[in-house]
Amino acid sequence: MTYCVGMRIDKGLVFMSDTRTNAGIDNVSTFKKMFAWSTPGERVIVIQTAGNLATTQAVISLLEERMKAPADRNPGILEVPTMFQVAKLVGDTLKEVVAAQSGQGPVADSAFSATIIIGGQIAGSEPRLFLVYPEGNFIEASDETPYFQIGETKYGRPILLRGYEPQMDFTDTVKLLMLSFESTLRANLSVGMPLDLLTYEADSLTLGQERRITSDDTYFQAIAEAWSDSIKASIKALPDYKF
């Protein structure tokens, strides 16, 4: 399975993804699920993928191939003028791959389906965040829906719902995402480390911090232990139930 989050805050965008894929309890592998491209000073684009691994790898490979295609081909994601057009191009590529693999066109419950988060900024517009569905259509993040989750979302969602604030800085946003992933890791073995983290500061038009968080990362361990301790302390501090 997979767990990926793309989050919009006032200061920019933050992305975190796990790297575990599996086809059964005895066939567990690690694959990158976050991909980033940039033309410094002009655009930054980040993609996170969940779903059938062959499908997501084919989508990324096609996108990268078409970035290098001759000028008479359709423009790639580093040439289209808006993030909306980036989302449309990725959605069309996903539909193309699913149709080719399934032989019957894209359907939401297809064994070849995938879901994709796209975020970034192109000069002249604000940072934008999109969620692309298996059918290739997509929605954009808003003030009411400022982040997207794909994959195994249910375990980490309550943390985000309670903790998110748009005015958070990058430090607190990374803490929030780490807690969301830590809760998911504890609850579901199909999501696993290492985790990939990427930050993007609005209007910088250059990639921010890119980091891989491994199972022996001391900061992640400290966050997990402190969170467990704070939950236990909060339970004790709540009003007592009367029997």
Side-chain angles (χ1 to χ4, degrees), residues 149-193:
Q149 302 168 271
I150 55 177
E152 191 59 76
T153 62
K154 56 184 176 290
Y155 302 106
R157 185 169 179 79
I159 303 292
L160 302 183
L161 288 172
R162 289 181 179 272
Y164 172 83
E165 293 180 333
Q167 65 271 23
M168 297 170 72
D169 60 19
F170 285 109
T171 297
D172 286 342
T173 304
V174 169
K175 289 181 194 176
L176 179 65
L177 289 179
M178 284 190 172
L179 291 177
S180 179
F181 274 78
E182 196 272 341
S183 297
T184 304
L185 291 167
R186 282 181 180 267
N188 194 312
L189 291 175
S190 70
V191 176
M193 300 184 85

Side-chain angles (χ1 to χ4, degrees), residues 12-63:
L13 302 169
V14 184
F15 306 87
M16 187 175 281
S17 304
D18 88 314
T19 55
R20 175 168 292 179
T21 64
N22 67 79
I25 59 175
D26 59 347
N27 186 13
V28 176
S29 302
T30 296
F31 283 93
K32 186 177 181 180
K33 302 172 189 177
M34 184 190 302
F35 307 87
W37 302 268
S38 68
T39 303
E42 197 274 327
R43 72 180 63 203
V44 166
I45 296 169
V46 181
I47 289 178
Q48 298 170 284
T49 62
N52 179 271
L53 183 61
T55 299
T56 58
Q57 288 191 339
V59 169
I60 297 301
S61 295
L62 274 175
L63 291 172

